[in-house]
């Protein structure tokens, strides 16, 4: 059996990895600071969700909703 990811999945994995490195990881300390201040909903999360949505990386389990 071939357990390799398809080219489409590999491309998506690369996009997700790049998004995490560019947007998520650098904001880790900011996230912890907002959580420590009990600021809900977290402004940072709303910003990251919007960026992920713009890049087609939000709600990947519901692909028809982003079209």
């Amino acid at each position: 059996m071939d357990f390799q990811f398809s080219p489409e999945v590999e491309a998506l994995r690369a996009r997700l990895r790049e998004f995490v490195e560019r947007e998520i990881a650098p904001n880790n300390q900011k996230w912890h600071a907002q959580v420590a201040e009990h600021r809900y909903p977290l402004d940072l999360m709303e910003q990251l969700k919007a960026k992920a949505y713009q890049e087609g990386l939000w709600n990947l389990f519901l692909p028809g909703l982003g079209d």
Side-chain angles (χ1 to χ4, degrees):
M1 295 187 97
D2 181 13
F3 292 104
Q4 297 290 327
F5 290 121
S6 69
E8 294 84 10
V9 170
E10 285 293 355
L12 180 58
R13 290 179 71 216
R15 287 177 49 214
L16 284 167
R17 187 177 306 110
E18 196 275 330
F19 183 82
V20 168
E21 291 172 1
R22 184 185 74 239
E23 301 292 342
I24 306 296
N27 284 296
N28 188 37
Q29 288 182 338
K30 186 175 180 181
W31 181 86
H32 282 284
Q34 287 186 4
V35 168
E37 295 171 359
H38 304 284
R39 294 170 47 189
Y40 299 102
L42 302 176
D43 297 335
L44 174 62
M45 291 302 296
E46 298 306 313
Q47 295 165 9
L48 291 172
K49 283 195 269 185
K51 288 180 181 182
Y53 183 81
Q54 289 172 347
E55 294 188 29
L57 300 173
W58 188 251
N59 284 338
L60 294 173
F61 54 93
L62 300 171
L65 296 180
D67 300 334

